[in-house]
Amino acid sequence: MTRRSTAANAGALILLCAAATSAQAEDGWSLTISPYVWASSLDGKAALAGQRTHIDIPFSEALEHLDLAALGEVEIMRGRWGLYLDGQYVKTSQDEELLSQELALGITKVNAMAGVFYRIYDSPQGGDTVTGEPRRFVVEPMVGARWTKLKANVEVLGFSTSKKADWTEPFVGVRSSLDLTDRWNLSGEADVGGFDIDDRRSANAQAFVGYRMHLLSRPAMLRAGYRVLYQSYETGDFTGQTFRWDVTQQGPVVGLSMDF
């Protein structure tokens, strides 16, 4: 699938979701779409085919080798219940030299989080936001699953090979949001997962400052903050050796949320 067709399909899906949600607005449904950019670095340890290495990739180097990135979140809510999907697709490539021969290395990393949350606490803060909603302080426990896929492609001396690993882990967490003024908002989220089931552990935390406004006549919010994702996973690989991924991904985040 080409980048153009992927973008067209994504745009069509967004328009379809928006139309469906608008038609159901009287029933209390809401849809929020949030594309974002995560300027993340990687730090930790990895092992494949018995070879262990330390990973230390600052964002400046990751950006230099970036081919394609798509990151975003979709949230659907009705009443106090809500469902969300957060997806990240990052593809990088680079050329290295091995024994005086050129080696091409491509890495694709996919993360997808799906969760259900419940608004257990909702406290009015007085007055309305600039988009017409009451100012609130809310707390929402959540539960869900996180799926990760890693794929590496190597080409050297006319030969190529591709190896991959993927795993899924449950998580529990909580998120909250506070309207400071009619425009400014403060939000945060944290969760832990894996629980050492089959050597899987993870932790995710993020905090944002948001600015409410109208965009294309729709309620919207610009957000800026910081996110940290730690993952640890270990299993046997295709050589009978140990595959290990024990890495922290972190960095600033800038995004836009629109309500439909």
Side-chain angles (χ1 to χ4, degrees):
M1 183 177 295
T2 65
R3 298 184 189 182
R4 182 176 299 177
S5 64
T6 300
N9 291 338
L13 178 60
I14 290 174
L15 292 176
L16 179 61
C17 290
T21 304
S22 297
Q24 294 177 326
E26 296 181 358
D27 294 330
W29 291 92
S30 66
L31 170 68
T32 302
I33 298 176
S34 306
Y36 61 88
V37 176
W38 186 9
S40 61
S41 60
L42 298 175
D43 182 71
K45 300 176 181 178
L48 181 65
Q51 302 298 314
R52 298 179 179 272
T53 183
H54 177 70
I55 296 176
D56 183 9
I57 305 176
F59 172 69
S60 58
E61 292 186 11
L63 183 61
E64 179 182 352
H65 302 295
L66 182 65
D67 291 336
L68 179 65
L71 305 93
E73 179 176 306
V74 177
E75 176 182 301
I76 301 173
M77 190 170 184
R78 184 181 185 186
R80 289 180 175 266
W81 288 95
L83 171 69
Y84 75 94
L85 174 64
D86 185 312
Q88 305 162 18
Y89 177 91
V90 179
K91 182 178 181 181
T92 62
S93 63
Q94 62 190 89
D95 294 327
E96 303 288 349
E97 189 172 290
L98 179 65
L99 300 178
S100 300
Q101 298 295 327
E102 186 175 290
L103 180 147
L105 174 64
I107 297 178
T108 301
K109 185 174 187 289
V110 182
N111 270 106
M113 294 173 56
V116 177
F117 62 88
Y118 178 76
R119 183 163 294 179
I120 194 172
Y121 183 77
D122 188 343
S123 174
Q125 299 299 294
D128 293 337
T129 67
V130 71
T131 55
E133 296 290 329
R135 291 177 54 229
R136 292 185 169 102
F137 171 53
V138 300
V139 178
E140 299 166 338
M142 57 186 183
V143 60
R146 181 169 24 246
W147 177 71
T148 302
K149 179 180 179 180
L150 294 171
K151 182 179 180 181
N153 298 298
V154 179
E155 294 184 10
V156 61
L157 296 174
F159 297 95
S160 65
T161 183
S162 176
K163 304 300 177 184
K164 62 182 180 179
D166 65 273
W167 65 96
T168 304
E169 55 194 359
F171 70 82
V172 295
V174 64
R175 64 185 207 170
S176 64
S177 174
L178 171 63
D179 291 318
L180 300 173
T181 69
D182 62 339
R183 287 189 180 273
W184 291 100
N185 172 272
L186 184 65
S187 62
E189 178 181 318
D191 67 73
V192 293
F195 313 111
D196 282 324
I197 301 174
D198 295 329
D199 294 315
R200 307 175 193 193
R201 297 186 303 277
S202 66
N204 175 65
Q206 50 192 325
F208 296 96
V209 174
Y211 182 78
R212 294 185 187 276
M213 60 181 184
H214 283 91
L215 183 64
L216 302 177
S217 301
R218 305 301 309 180
M221 182 186 296
L222 288 172
R223 300 193 304 161
Y226 200 87
R227 182 174 186 177
V228 180
L229 173 62
Y230 166 75
Q231 291 181 285
S232 178
Y233 174 63
E234 188 171 308
T235 188
D237 65 17
F238 62 97
T239 66
Q241 303 291 327
T242 297
F243 169 81
R244 183 185 182 192
W245 180 261
D246 191 352
V247 175
T248 298
Q249 184 176 355
Q250 62 180 314
V253 180
V254 178
L256 172 68
S257 297
M258 290 190 68
D259 297 334
F260 295 89

